[in-house]
Amino acid sequence: MTIHCEAESPGELVQYLHVSGHTFHVDVPEAAGRRDFGLGPHDYFDAALAACKTLTATLYAEQKGIALERVEAHVERDDNEERRGKSVLKIRLASHGPLAEAARSRLHAMVARCLIHKLMTTADVVIETAHLEGSSGASVDPGEP
């Protein structure tokens, strides 16, 4: 899969993210002096974790015949120490439906092992950045941010 991200016009900070036929808007908050036209990249990161946990619970419940009606995930970000290499995401889950305590415990154990959680905490992620073929390849001063 390829994800495509670009500004609609030169000098525009709002980015258009195209993924599998879907379009998302990415921006920075109004507090940073921008339009707040969409979620910021950090918000998508946190949202991916919440979505993975709820989808994992729902799929697991379907496979195991657990009477889960719906599940909620609330993510709270504490990024006070992020610049020092520590970011804390507190996740609270609510499982709705007539669940026995044993089923609820199995769901929570499965959700703790969702793929995005593993990716964020245990995977060795390698990121390679290169010029896109056909791009202008304009040189950037390495001293610039």
Side-chain angles (χ1 to χ4, degrees), residues 77-116:
R77 178 190 322 148
D78 178 354
D79 56 5
N80 289 327
E81 296 184 53
E82 191 169 305
R83 293 196 186 272
R84 290 189 291 262
K86 181 180 179 183
S87 183
V88 177
L89 297 176
K90 295 178 184 174
I91 300 165
R92 291 179 295 133
L93 294 172
S95 303
H96 300 278
L99 302 172
E101 192 54 41
R104 191 177 310 277
S105 292
R106 285 195 329 263
L107 272 175
H108 281 257
M110 182 57 63
V111 165
R113 298 190 317 259
C114 82
L115 296 176
I116 298 297

mmCIF file of all heavy atoms in Angstrom, residues 77-116:
data_model
loop_
_atom_site.group_PDB
_atom_site.id
_atom_site.type_symbol
_atom_site.label_atom_id
_atom_site.label_comp_id
_atom_site.label_asym_id
_atom_site.label_seq_id
_atom_site.Cartn_x
_atom_site.Cartn_y
_atom_site.Cartn_z
ATOM 1 N N ARG A 77 -3.325 11.611 26.169
ATOM 2 C CA ARG A 77 -1.903 11.772 25.863
ATOM 3 C C ARG A 77 -1.232 12.673 26.894
ATOM 4 O O ARG A 77 -1.685 13.775 27.160
ATOM 5 C CB ARG A 77 -1.744 12.392 24.485
ATOM 6 C CG ARG A 77 -0.304 12.642 24.094
ATOM 7 C CD ARG A 77 -0.142 13.487 22.827
ATOM 8 N NE ARG A 77 -1.119 13.209 21.812
ATOM 9 C CZ ARG A 77 -1.587 14.129 20.968
ATOM 10 N NH1 ARG A 77 -1.171 15.381 21.024
ATOM 11 N NH2 ARG A 77 -2.479 13.815 20.054
ATOM 12 N N ASP A 78 -0.133 12.188 27.447
ATOM 13 C CA ASP A 78 0.709 13.008 28.317
ATOM 14 C C ASP A 78 2.046 13.140 27.594
ATOM 15 O O ASP A 78 2.858 12.223 27.592
ATOM 16 C CB ASP A 78 0.893 12.334 29.677
ATOM 17 C CG ASP A 78 1.810 13.131 30.612
ATOM 18 O OD1 ASP A 78 2.404 14.146 30.171
ATOM 19 O OD2 ASP A 78 1.951 12.734 31.775
ATOM 20 N N ASP A 79 2.237 14.276 26.947
ATOM 21 C CA ASP A 79 3.465 14.473 26.171
ATOM 22 C C ASP A 79 4.419 15.475 26.830
ATOM 23 O O ASP A 79 5.272 16.056 26.180
ATOM 24 C CB ASP A 79 3.135 14.892 24.738
ATOM 25 C CG ASP A 79 2.275 16.137 24.663
ATOM 26 O OD1 ASP A 79 1.987 16.749 25.716
ATOM 27 O OD2 ASP A 79 1.867 16.509 23.546
ATOM 28 N N ASN A 80 4.284 15.634 28.143
ATOM 29 C CA ASN A 80 5.135 16.584 28.865
ATOM 30 C C ASN A 80 6.617 16.275 28.734
ATOM 31 O O ASN A 80 7.445 17.167 28.784
ATOM 32 C CB ASN A 80 4.757 16.633 30.354
ATOM 33 C CG ASN A 80 3.420 17.303 30.566
ATOM 34 O OD1 ASN A 80 3.052 18.217 29.839
ATOM 35 N ND2 ASN A 80 2.671 16.829 31.551
ATOM 36 N N GLU A 81 6.960 14.994 28.600
ATOM 37 C CA GLU A 81 8.370 14.607 28.521
ATOM 38 C C GLU A 81 8.741 14.076 27.135
ATOM 39 O O GLU A 81 9.767 13.428 26.976
ATOM 40 C CB GLU A 81 8.668 13.534 29.574
ATOM 41 C CG GLU A 81 8.503 14.029 30.995
ATOM 42 C CD GLU A 81 8.888 12.968 32.004
ATOM 43 O OE1 GLU A 81 10.008 12.437 31.895
ATOM 44 O OE2 GLU A 81 8.055 12.672 32.875
ATOM 45 N N GLU A 82 7.918 14.372 26.143
ATOM 46 C CA GLU A 82 8.146 13.825 24.808
ATOM 47 C C GLU A 82 9.497 14.238 24.229
ATOM 48 O O GLU A 82 10.181 13.436 23.596
ATOM 49 C CB GLU A 82 7.017 14.248 23.876
ATOM 50 C CG GLU A 82 7.052 13.500 22.564
ATOM 51 C CD GLU A 82 5.807 13.725 21.750
ATOM 52 O OE1 GLU A 82 4.700 13.486 22.258
ATOM 53 O OE2 GLU A 82 5.961 14.153 20.596
ATOM 54 N N ARG A 83 9.901 15.454 24.445
ATOM 55 C CA ARG A 83 11.188 15.910 23.902
ATOM 56 C C ARG A 83 12.371 15.215 24.578
ATOM 57 O O ARG A 83 13.479 15.256 24.079
ATOM 58 C CB ARG A 83 11.316 17.422 24.004
ATOM 59 C CG ARG A 83 10.321 18.131 23.101
ATOM 60 C CD ARG A 83 10.701 19.585 22.908
ATOM 61 N NE ARG A 83 9.695 20.293 22.162
ATOM 62 C CZ ARG A 83 9.646 20.379 20.848
ATOM 63 N NH1 ARG A 83 10.560 19.793 20.123
ATOM 64 N NH2 ARG A 83 8.699 21.060 20.251
ATOM 65 N N ARG A 84 12.112 14.571 25.712
ATOM 66 C CA ARG A 84 13.150 13.796 26.395
ATOM 67 C C ARG A 84 13.001 12.301 26.092
ATOM 68 O O ARG A 84 13.614 11.471 26.757
ATOM 69 C CB ARG A 84 13.084 14.043 27.899
ATOM 70 C CG ARG A 84 13.540 15.462 28.268
ATOM 71 C CD ARG A 84 13.683 15.618 29.772
ATOM 72 N NE ARG A 84 12.398 15.591 30.458
ATOM 73 C CZ ARG A 84 11.720 16.664 30.836
ATOM 74 N NH1 ARG A 84 12.186 17.856 30.594
ATOM 75 N NH2 ARG A 84 10.573 16.537 31.466
ATOM 76 N N GLY A 85 12.161 11.971 25.127
ATOM 77 C CA GLY A 85 12.033 10.586 24.686
ATOM 78 C C GLY A 85 10.974 9.759 25.376
ATOM 79 O O GLY A 85 10.951 8.545 25.246
ATOM 80 N N LYS A 86 10.056 10.401 26.111
ATOM 81 C CA LYS A 86 9.008 9.642 26.790
ATOM 82 C C LYS A 86 7.644 10.240 26.479
ATOM 83 O O LYS A 86 7.402 11.421 26.692
ATOM 84 C CB LYS A 86 9.226 9.656 28.301
ATOM 85 C CG LYS A 86 8.180 8.867 29.061
ATOM 86 C CD LYS A 86 8.438 8.901 30.550
ATOM 87 C CE LYS A 86 7.371 8.142 31.302
ATOM 88 N NZ LYS A 86 7.570 8.237 32.751
ATOM 89 N N SER A 87 6.764 9.396 25.979
ATOM 90 C CA SER A 87 5.385 9.794 25.710
ATOM 91 C C SER A 87 4.483 8.759 26.364
ATOM 92 O O SER A 87 4.721 7.557 26.233
ATOM 93 C CB SER A 87 5.127 9.840 24.201
ATOM 94 O OG SER A 87 3.817 10.283 23.950
ATOM 95 N N VAL A 88 3.474 9.210 27.079
ATOM 96 C CA VAL A 88 2.580 8.295 27.784
ATOM 97 C C VAL A 88 1.186 8.408 27.187
ATOM 98 O O VAL A 88 0.629 9.507 27.086
ATOM 99 C CB VAL A 88 2.535 8.619 29.299
ATOM 100 C CG1 VAL A 88 1.547 7.705 30.016
ATOM 101 C CG2 VAL A 88 3.918 8.513 29.910
ATOM 102 N N LEU A 89 0.644 7.268 26.766
ATOM 103 C CA LEU A 89 -0.728 7.198 26.288
ATOM 104 C C LEU A 89 -1.513 6.345 27.278
ATOM 105 O O LEU A 89 -1.213 5.165 27.454
ATOM 106 C CB LEU A 89 -0.790 6.574 24.889
ATOM 107 C CG LEU A 89 -0.070 7.353 23.792
ATOM 108 C CD1 LEU A 89 -0.117 6.580 22.481
ATOM 109 C CD2 LEU A 89 -0.692 8.725 23.619
ATOM 110 N N LYS A 90 -2.477 6.956 27.933
ATOM 111 C CA LYS A 90 -3.317 6.229 28.885
ATOM 112 C C LYS A 90 -4.607 5.858 28.158
ATOM 113 O O LYS A 90 -5.289 6.731 27.630
ATOM 114 C CB LYS A 90 -3.618 7.101 30.100
ATOM 115 C CG LYS A 90 -2.395 7.432 30.910
ATOM 116 C CD LYS A 90 -2.730 8.339 32.059
ATOM 117 C CE LYS A 90 -1.461 8.732 32.795
ATOM 118 N NZ LYS A 90 -1.728 9.718 33.831
ATOM 119 N N ILE A 91 -4.899 4.574 28.166
ATOM 120 C CA ILE A 91 -6.071 4.087 27.449
ATOM 121 C C ILE A 91 -7.047 3.495 28.452
ATOM 122 O O ILE A 91 -6.681 2.659 29.282
ATOM 123 C CB ILE A 91 -5.671 3.033 26.406
ATOM 124 C CG1 ILE A 91 -4.723 3.694 25.431
ATOM 125 C CG2 ILE A 91 -6.894 2.464 25.709
ATOM 126 C CD1 ILE A 91 -3.972 2.798 24.563
ATOM 127 N N ARG A 92 -8.287 3.952 28.346
ATOM 128 C CA ARG A 92 -9.358 3.400 29.171
ATOM 129 C C ARG A 92 -10.340 2.732 28.217
ATOM 130 O O ARG A 92 -10.730 3.321 27.215
ATOM 131 C CB ARG A 92 -10.038 4.489 29.986
ATOM 132 C CG ARG A 92 -9.106 5.044 31.065
ATOM 133 C CD ARG A 92 -9.728 6.156 31.881
ATOM 134 N NE ARG A 92 -9.968 7.303 31.008
ATOM 135 C CZ ARG A 92 -11.100 7.995 30.953
ATOM 136 N NH1 ARG A 92 -12.118 7.667 31.717
ATOM 137 N NH2 ARG A 92 -11.235 9.022 30.147
ATOM 138 N N LEU A 93 -10.714 1.515 28.542
ATOM 139 C CA LEU A 93 -11.629 0.754 27.697
ATOM 140 C C LEU A 93 -12.952 0.535 28.413
ATOM 141 O O LEU A 93 -12.978 0.319 29.623
ATOM 142 C CB LEU A 93 -11.043 -0.621 27.360
ATOM 143 C CG LEU A 93 -9.802 -0.620 26.493
ATOM 144 C CD1 LEU A 93 -9.229 -2.022 26.422
ATOM 145 C CD2 LEU A 93 -10.143 -0.125 25.102
ATOM 146 N N ALA A 94 -14.012 0.570 27.654
ATOM 147 C CA ALA A 94 -15.341 0.227 28.166
ATOM 148 C C ALA A 94 -15.923 -0.818 27.227
ATOM 149 O O ALA A 94 -16.076 -0.568 26.035
ATOM 150 C CB ALA A 94 -16.232 1.462 28.216
ATOM 151 N N SER A 95 -16.203 -1.985 27.777
ATOM 152 C CA SER A 95 -16.803 -3.076 27.007
ATOM 153 C C SER A 95 -18.266 -3.159 27.390
ATOM 154 O O SER A 95 -18.589 -3.366 28.558
ATOM 155 C CB SER A 95 -16.099 -4.398 27.329
ATOM 156 O OG SER A 95 -14.720 -4.297 27.070
ATOM 157 N N HIS A 96 -19.149 -2.987 26.420
ATOM 158 C CA HIS A 96 -20.587 -2.971 26.680
ATOM 159 C C HIS A 96 -21.220 -4.278 26.220
ATOM 160 O O HIS A 96 -20.898 -4.804 25.161
ATOM 161 C CB HIS A 96 -21.239 -1.801 25.937
ATOM 162 C CG HIS A 96 -20.690 -0.472 26.348
ATOM 163 N ND1 HIS A 96 -21.112 0.197 27.464
ATOM 164 C CD2 HIS A 96 -19.715 0.301 25.793
ATOM 165 C CE1 HIS A 96 -20.452 1.332 27.580
ATOM 166 N NE2 HIS A 96 -19.587 1.421 26.576
ATOM 167 N N GLY A 97 -22.139 -4.751 27.024
ATOM 168 C CA GLY A 97 -22.855 -5.980 26.709
ATOM 169 C C GLY A 97 -22.885 -6.885 27.924
ATOM 170 O O GLY A 97 -22.201 -6.637 28.926
ATOM 171 N N PRO A 98 -23.670 -7.947 27.837
ATOM 172 C CA PRO A 98 -23.786 -8.882 28.964
ATOM 173 C C PRO A 98 -22.580 -9.819 29.036
ATOM 174 O O PRO A 98 -22.656 -11.001 28.692
ATOM 175 C CB PRO A 98 -25.073 -9.647 28.637
ATOM 176 C CG PRO A 98 -25.146 -9.618 27.144
ATOM 177 C CD PRO A 98 -24.547 -8.302 26.723
ATOM 178 N N LEU A 99 -21.458 -9.282 29.482
ATOM 179 C CA LEU A 99 -20.217 -10.050 29.512
ATOM 180 C C LEU A 99 -19.933 -10.615 30.893
ATOM 181 O O LEU A 99 -20.005 -9.893 31.889
ATOM 182 C CB LEU A 99 -19.031 -9.152 29.111
ATOM 183 C CG LEU A 99 -19.095 -8.471 27.751
ATOM 184 C CD1 LEU A 99 -17.959 -7.484 27.606
ATOM 185 C CD2 LEU A 99 -19.036 -9.500 26.650
ATOM 186 N N ALA A 100 -19.540 -11.878 30.916
ATOM 187 C CA ALA A 100 -19.054 -12.464 32.156
ATOM 188 C C ALA A 100 -17.685 -11.855 32.433
ATOM 189 O O ALA A 100 -16.991 -11.413 31.510
ATOM 190 C CB ALA A 100 -18.952 -13.979 32.010
ATOM 191 N N GLU A 101 -17.293 -11.828 33.687
ATOM 192 C CA GLU A 101 -16.003 -11.225 34.050
ATOM 193 C C GLU A 101 -14.844 -11.928 33.347
ATOM 194 O O GLU A 101 -13.882 -11.286 32.927
ATOM 195 C CB GLU A 101 -15.807 -11.250 35.575
ATOM 196 C CG GLU A 101 -14.644 -10.406 36.046
ATOM 197 C CD GLU A 101 -14.687 -8.951 35.561
ATOM 198 O OE1 GLU A 101 -15.770 -8.331 35.552
ATOM 199 O OE2 GLU A 101 -13.612 -8.434 35.174
ATOM 200 N N ALA A 102 -14.936 -13.242 33.167
ATOM 201 C CA ALA A 102 -13.868 -13.978 32.482
ATOM 202 C C ALA A 102 -13.752 -13.528 31.025
ATOM 203 O O ALA A 102 -12.652 -13.363 30.503
ATOM 204 C CB ALA A 102 -14.139 -15.486 32.549
ATOM 205 N N ALA A 103 -14.878 -13.322 30.362
ATOM 206 C CA ALA A 103 -14.866 -12.860 28.966
ATOM 207 C C ALA A 103 -14.302 -11.449 28.882
ATOM 208 O O ALA A 103 -13.524 -11.126 27.985
ATOM 209 C CB ALA A 103 -16.270 -12.910 28.376
ATOM 210 N N ARG A 104 -14.672 -10.608 29.817
ATOM 211 C CA ARG A 104 -14.169 -9.225 29.849
ATOM 212 C C ARG A 104 -12.641 -9.227 30.044
ATOM 213 O O ARG A 104 -11.922 -8.496 29.376
ATOM 214 C CB ARG A 104 -14.858 -8.444 30.969
ATOM 215 C CG ARG A 104 -14.617 -6.955 30.939
ATOM 216 C CD ARG A 104 -15.390 -6.220 32.022
ATOM 217 N NE ARG A 104 -16.799 -6.534 32.086
ATOM 218 C CZ ARG A 104 -17.742 -5.978 31.327
ATOM 219 N NH1 ARG A 104 -17.407 -5.053 30.451
ATOM 220 N NH2 ARG A 104 -19.006 -6.305 31.456
ATOM 221 N N SER A 105 -12.159 -10.085 30.901
ATOM 222 C CA SER A 105 -10.713 -10.197 31.136
ATOM 223 C C SER A 105 -9.987 -10.683 29.885
ATOM 224 O O SER A 105 -8.912 -10.179 29.549
ATOM 225 C CB SER A 105 -10.434 -11.151 32.294
ATOM 226 O OG SER A 105 -10.895 -10.597 33.494
ATOM 227 N N ARG A 106 -10.557 -11.688 29.186
ATOM 228 C CA ARG A 106 -9.937 -12.189 27.950
ATOM 229 C C ARG A 106 -9.887 -11.096 26.894
ATOM 230 O O ARG A 106 -8.887 -10.941 26.186
ATOM 231 C CB ARG A 106 -10.706 -13.404 27.414
ATOM 232 C CG ARG A 106 -10.457 -14.658 28.207
ATOM 233 C CD ARG A 106 -10.903 -15.947 27.512
ATOM 234 N NE ARG A 106 -12.019 -15.894 26.618
ATOM 235 C CZ ARG A 106 -13.284 -16.212 26.929
ATOM 236 N NH1 ARG A 106 -13.591 -16.608 28.146
ATOM 237 N NH2 ARG A 106 -14.240 -16.145 26.028
ATOM 238 N N LEU A 107 -10.971 -10.318 26.789
ATOM 239 C CA LEU A 107 -11.001 -9.199 25.832
ATOM 240 C C LEU A 107 -9.898 -8.195 26.137
ATOM 241 O O LEU A 107 -9.178 -7.766 25.239
ATOM 242 C CB LEU A 107 -12.351 -8.479 25.877
ATOM 243 C CG LEU A 107 -13.458 -9.000 24.989
ATOM 244 C CD1 LEU A 107 -14.743 -8.244 25.270
ATOM 245 C CD2 LEU A 107 -13.084 -8.893 23.527
ATOM 246 N N HIS A 108 -9.777 -7.817 27.396
ATOM 247 C CA HIS A 108 -8.771 -6.826 27.769
ATOM 248 C C HIS A 108 -7.358 -7.348 27.531
ATOM 249 O O HIS A 108 -6.478 -6.599 27.114
ATOM 250 C CB HIS A 108 -8.974 -6.362 29.210
ATOM 251 C CG HIS A 108 -10.073 -5.356 29.339
ATOM 252 N ND1 HIS A 108 -9.831 -4.015 29.489
ATOM 253 C CD2 HIS A 108 -11.414 -5.494 29.296
ATOM 254 C CE1 HIS A 108 -10.983 -3.369 29.540
ATOM 255 N NE2 HIS A 108 -11.957 -4.247 29.428
ATOM 256 N N ALA A 109 -7.142 -8.631 27.777
ATOM 257 C CA ALA A 109 -5.827 -9.219 27.524
ATOM 258 C C ALA A 109 -5.512 -9.198 26.031
ATOM 259 O O ALA A 109 -4.386 -8.898 25.624
ATOM 260 C CB ALA A 109 -5.780 -10.651 28.058
ATOM 261 N N MET A 110 -6.495 -9.492 25.198
ATOM 262 C CA MET A 110 -6.297 -9.489 23.745
ATOM 263 C C MET A 110 -6.042 -8.061 23.250
ATOM 264 O O MET A 110 -5.158 -7.823 22.439
ATOM 265 C CB MET A 110 -7.513 -10.094 23.047
ATOM 266 C CG MET A 110 -7.370 -10.183 21.551
ATOM 267 S SD MET A 110 -5.940 -11.113 20.983
ATOM 268 C CE MET A 110 -6.284 -12.734 21.604
ATOM 269 N N VAL A 111 -6.801 -7.119 23.752
ATOM 270 C CA VAL A 111 -6.671 -5.718 23.340
ATOM 271 C C VAL A 111 -5.292 -5.174 23.694
ATOM 272 O O VAL A 111 -4.720 -4.380 22.956
ATOM 273 C CB VAL A 111 -7.796 -4.880 23.984
ATOM 274 C CG1 VAL A 111 -7.518 -3.404 23.900
ATOM 275 C CG2 VAL A 111 -9.129 -5.203 23.319
ATOM 276 N N ALA A 112 -4.726 -5.638 24.792
ATOM 277 C CA ALA A 112 -3.393 -5.188 25.203
ATOM 278 C C ALA A 112 -2.325 -5.634 24.210
ATOM 279 O O ALA A 112 -1.225 -5.098 24.215
ATOM 280 C CB ALA A 112 -3.070 -5.708 26.597
ATOM 281 N N ARG A 113 -2.669 -6.604 23.354
ATOM 282 C CA ARG A 113 -1.704 -7.121 22.375
ATOM 283 C C ARG A 113 -2.075 -6.730 20.941
ATOM 284 O O ARG A 113 -1.643 -7.386 19.996
ATOM 285 C CB ARG A 113 -1.628 -8.644 22.483
ATOM 286 C CG ARG A 113 -1.138 -9.123 23.831
ATOM 287 C CD ARG A 113 -0.832 -10.611 23.872
ATOM 288 N NE ARG A 113 -1.783 -11.476 23.228
ATOM 289 C CZ ARG A 113 -2.723 -12.193 23.844
ATOM 290 N NH1 ARG A 113 -2.852 -12.109 25.140
ATOM 291 N NH2 ARG A 113 -3.514 -12.977 23.170
ATOM 292 N N CYS A 114 -2.848 -5.679 20.768
ATOM 293 C CA CYS A 114 -3.235 -5.293 19.401
ATOM 294 C C CYS A 114 -1.990 -4.918 18.585
ATOM 295 O O CYS A 114 -0.944 -4.568 19.134
ATOM 296 C CB CYS A 114 -4.268 -4.164 19.412
ATOM 297 S SG CYS A 114 -3.614 -2.509 19.627
ATOM 298 N N LEU A 115 -2.112 -5.009 17.278
ATOM 299 C CA LEU A 115 -0.959 -4.826 16.396
ATOM 300 C C LEU A 115 -0.311 -3.440 16.492
ATOM 301 O O LEU A 115 0.907 -3.324 16.465
ATOM 302 C CB LEU A 115 -1.367 -5.114 14.956
ATOM 303 C CG LEU A 115 -1.789 -6.562 14.682
ATOM 304 C CD1 LEU A 115 -2.275 -6.713 13.249
ATOM 305 C CD2 LEU A 115 -0.650 -7.519 14.977
ATOM 306 N N ILE A 116 -1.115 -2.412 16.592
ATOM 307 C CA ILE A 116 -0.550 -1.055 16.678
ATOM 308 C C ILE A 116 0.174 -0.872 18.013
ATOM 309 O O ILE A 116 1.245 -0.265 18.073
ATOM 310 C CB ILE A 116 -1.633 0.024 16.461
ATOM 311 C CG1 ILE A 116 -2.244 -0.093 15.066
ATOM 312 C CG2 ILE A 116 -1.076 1.422 16.706
ATOM 313 C CD1 ILE A 116 -1.264 0.135 13.919
#
